[in-house]
Amino acid sequence: MEALFFDAKRAALKRVPLPTIPDGYALVRVIASGICSTDLQLLRGYYDFKGIPGHEFVGRVEGPHQSPWIGKRVVGEINLACRACEWCRKGWARHCPNRKVLGILGHPGAHAQWLSLPEVNLHEVPNEITDEEALFTEPLAAACEILDQIPVGLGTRAAVLGPGKIGRLITQVLRTAGAEVTMVGRPMVGRAKGREKTPKAAFDLVVECTGSPEGMPRAIEMVRPRGTILWKTTHHGPAKFDAAALVVNEITVVGSRCGRFPPALELLRRRRVEVGSLLAAEFPLSKAAQAMREADKAGVLKVVLRP
Amino acid sequence: MEALFFDAKRAALKRVPLPTIPDGYALVRVIASGICSTDLQLLRGYYDFKGIPGHEFVGRVEGPHQSPWIGKRVVGEINLACRACEWCRKGWARHCPNRKVLGILGHPGAHAQWLSLPEVNLHEVPNEITDEEALFTEPLAAACEILDQIPVGLGTRAAVLGPGKIGRLITQVLRTAGAEVTMVGRPMVGRAKGREKTPKAAFDLVVECTGSPEGMPRAIEMVRPRGTILWKTTHHGPAKFDAAALVVNEITVVGSRCGRFPPALELLRRRRVEVGSLLAAEFPLSKAAQAMREADKAGVLKVVLRP
């Protein structure tokens, strides 16, 4: 089959064997995959990644023939847990230390014609959700994770710092929970730079999703004493902020990664969040390298690949 | 009166006027004061401090003569709030943005013969508590603050990273709440270096109170996925840890500073914590500069000044 392949910080289409299908796994034909900022980070050397990237997808199960999933349209949770260790037994499979991660760590990803995943990772996509919408299940689940981590409700004054794809999803998710949400961010393409004032100590909750080391010092300025910063960054490398500011104001910082799929699918099915406006462009898989360059441009939202 | 005075990173005894006593303030004769790591930081230039340091004290109220506090033995909360702003009205006076802080910010401190404080900051010391024990009320309150911030109880596996004064108080406080506490720290004076192994992902809660920028990366290694790091650092300057580790493991970091005095006084009165073994040395106020040098030695615990 054909797949996008990253090697030594280069992206190119490559002919690779079909995925192997161990017991309990399904073979999924990819209908479409979405390019995530994490894919761009992997291409720059994050995790010393080499292989097929991609972890946002919608597909159809086509094997093995005895699977109860055959023919179903699915999305899939991206963490492949060992299901045997202490964390898995405690119900924290997403934090299994032996986990593989679809298209990120030790398991070939979704920017390909086919992929394999454990059947336990699959979720059927309700008919009300289009293929393009279903592509947003994984990042929307990552946004919903916030509601699993901290209390958000009516009266929560929240700011989302970073107006990218995940920032826009998080804004909508926080609003479904009753929060009053302000989007704050670096100037977008075409807007005058340096004009935006940072509100000081004005928010109960600041979600830092700029993907930049400069985001955290700004979030610390924006959050009130004893407030919470939800840290959803793809940045890796040394943090750049003053420890004292965080301690003196007794700020809580909560790291946040992947989330459960069912709440995200439910929000999409009930049309409580709108994702159509986040679609930027669609490319055939054969032009995946070009699509990666497009996705890397400032201000470009979701770029979709179709095998 | 005589007082220890910091100026341009130098500590020296100085003759200064008696404190002024505005309405609502009390004049307190200092019985004894304790040297805190924060004092050492102030001497190194933290907050560009110039003036009389010291915020841990026990004293006796001697003015104004009409005060109901006259003759009482007291300790005092160190934040002088404006009592008028939004934070004060919400009950967060310790985070008042207009606050002064005894011996730290805009209000002369306790390493002196006399000090002044608002009467609302004072707490009478029960007879069961000695002068030397009462000196620990402020740092013990800062340790108790943890119990006001996060759930700690039976079954909490906690580590205290940093075996100094505050670390030892925190260890005892967490144990009163039912936690199973391990002390982990840099090798003490006289112990072989580099022998201690860091337990990985082994704790629900890690209290980082090494006062060093190297503490946080180690705390991140020690805490389990989705665990909490309580950050009680006097370090100021750029944080030194990898953002990705915190986000991927969805760790919560909680900054922590001062606490309420009543729980600390109650723990001392009921002898639920033991502070006598933390006393290292006592100096007359006239030898305060020498006492500061003693307190700055590695492994030295609480140094006390007596006017």
Side-chain angles (χ1 to χ4, degrees), chain A residues 8-258:
Chain A
K9 303 189 182 182
R10 296 197 50 180
L13 209 68
K14 189 171 171 180
R15 182 155 285 275
V16 297
L18 273 181
T20 52
I21 308 298
D23 267 5
Y25 277 59
L27 177 69
V28 179
R29 184 174 55 75
V30 176
I31 298 171
S33 63
I35 296 176
C36 171
S37 302
T38 301
D39 299 344
L40 299 168
Q41 297 275 357
L42 292 175
L43 186 53
R44 293 192 192 102
Y46 191 25
Y47 279 124
D48 290 321
F49 184 85
K50 178 181 171 176
I52 304 171
H55 56 275
E56 301 173 1
F57 75 93
V58 57
R60 199 167 293 277
V61 177
E62 302 205 340
H65 68 272
Q66 76 279 16
S67 168
W69 288 89
I70 282 282
K72 290 196 199 298
R73 192 171 61 130
V74 296
V75 289
E77 306 224 12
I78 72 175
N79 293 286
L80 290 78
C82 76
R83 311 267 158 198
C85 72
E86 185 190 356
W87 307 114
C88 288
R89 277 185 279 113
K90 281 184 177 163
W92 293 332
R94 288 203 301 277
H95 290 284
C96 166
N98 312 312
R99 71 184 178 275
K100 297 171 180 177
V101 186
L102 178 70
I104 295 176
L105 190 68
H107 193 81
H111 298 324
Q113 291 179 292
W114 304 83
L115 63 81
S116 72
L117 265 186
E119 288 182 351
V120 293
N121 284 45
L122 300 180
H123 296 268
E124 186 167 9
V125 180
N127 287 333
E128 298 93 325
I129 302 176
T130 68
D131 289 342
E132 289 73 18
E133 289 166 345
L135 273 183
F136 287 91
T137 310
E138 195 281 331
L140 186 58
C144 291
E145 171 73 351
I146 297 174
L147 305 184
D148 274 359
Q149 292 184 285
I150 57 168
V152 176
L154 280 171
T156 302
R157 294 167 309 164
V160 174
L161 181 59
K165 299 179 285 291
I166 188 73
R168 293 172 189 221
L169 293 174
I170 289 168
T171 297
Q172 295 190 64
V173 164
L174 295 179
R175 285 182 179 145
T176 67
E180 178 192 313
V181 189
T182 306
M183 290 204 77
V184 181
R186 54 194 171 203
M188 299 292 290
V189 175
R191 232 200 266 170
K193 285 203 177 186
R195 299 278 286 287
E196 193 180 43
K197 270 175 91 175
T198 302
K200 310 271 186 206
F203 300 100
D204 304 312
L205 167 66
V206 177
V207 180
E208 200 290 89
C209 52
T210 61
S212 149
E214 317 305 330
M216 195 57 164
R218 204 165 168 204
I220 290 174
E221 277 184 72
M222 289 166 60
V223 76
R224 67 161 168 81
R226 289 208 148 202
T228 299
I229 297 172
L230 206 297
W231 212 7
K232 203 107 187 153
T233 191
T234 52
H235 172 70
H236 58 288
K240 286 187 185 166
F241 60 89
D242 191 327
L246 205 144
V247 169
V248 168
N249 287 326
E250 299 196 313
I251 293 165
T252 294
V253 177
V254 181
S256 182
R257 190 171 43 110
C258 305

Side-chain angles (χ1 to χ4, degrees), chain B residues 11-181:
Chain B
L13 209 68
K14 190 172 172 178
R15 183 156 286 274
V16 297
L18 274 181
T20 53
I21 308 297
D23 268 4
Y25 277 60
L27 177 68
V28 179
R29 183 173 57 75
V30 176
I31 298 171
S33 63
I35 297 176
C36 171
S37 304
T38 302
D39 300 343
L40 300 167
Q41 298 274 356
L42 292 175
L43 186 54
R44 292 192 192 103
Y46 191 25
Y47 278 122
D48 290 323
F49 183 85
K50 178 181 171 175
I52 304 171
H55 56 275
E56 301 174 1
F57 75 94
V58 57
R60 198 168 294 276
V61 178
E62 301 205 342
H65 67 271
Q66 75 279 17
S67 169
W69 288 89
I70 283 281
K72 290 195 199 298
R73 192 172 59 129
V74 297
V75 289
E77 305 224 13
I78 71 174
N79 294 286
L80 289 77
C82 74
R83 309 268 158 198
C85 72
E86 184 189 357
W87 307 116
C88 287
R89 279 186 278 112
K90 282 184 177 164
W92 292 331
R94 286 202 303 277
H95 290 284
C96 167
N98 312 312
R99 71 182 178 276
K100 297 170 180 176
V101 186
L102 178 70
I104 295 176
L105 192 67
H107 192 80
H111 298 324
Q113 290 179 293
W114 305 81
L115 62 83
S116 73
L117 264 186
E119 288 182 350
V120 294
N121 284 46
L122 301 180
H123 296 268
E124 186 169 8
V125 180
N127 288 331
E128 298 94 324
I129 303 176
T130 68
D131 289 342
E132 289 72 19
E133 288 166 347
L135 273 182
F136 287 92
T137 310
E138 196 279 334
L140 187 57
C144 290
E145 171 73 349
I146 298 173
L147 305 184
D148 274 1
Q149 293 185 286
I150 58 168
V152 175
L154 280 172
T156 302
R157 293 168 308 163
V160 175
L161 181 59
K165 299 179 285 292
I166 188 72
R168 290 172 192 220
L169 293 174
I170 289 168
T171 298
Q172 294 190 64
V173 165
L174 295 179
R175 284 181 180 146
T176 68
E180 179 192 312
V181 189

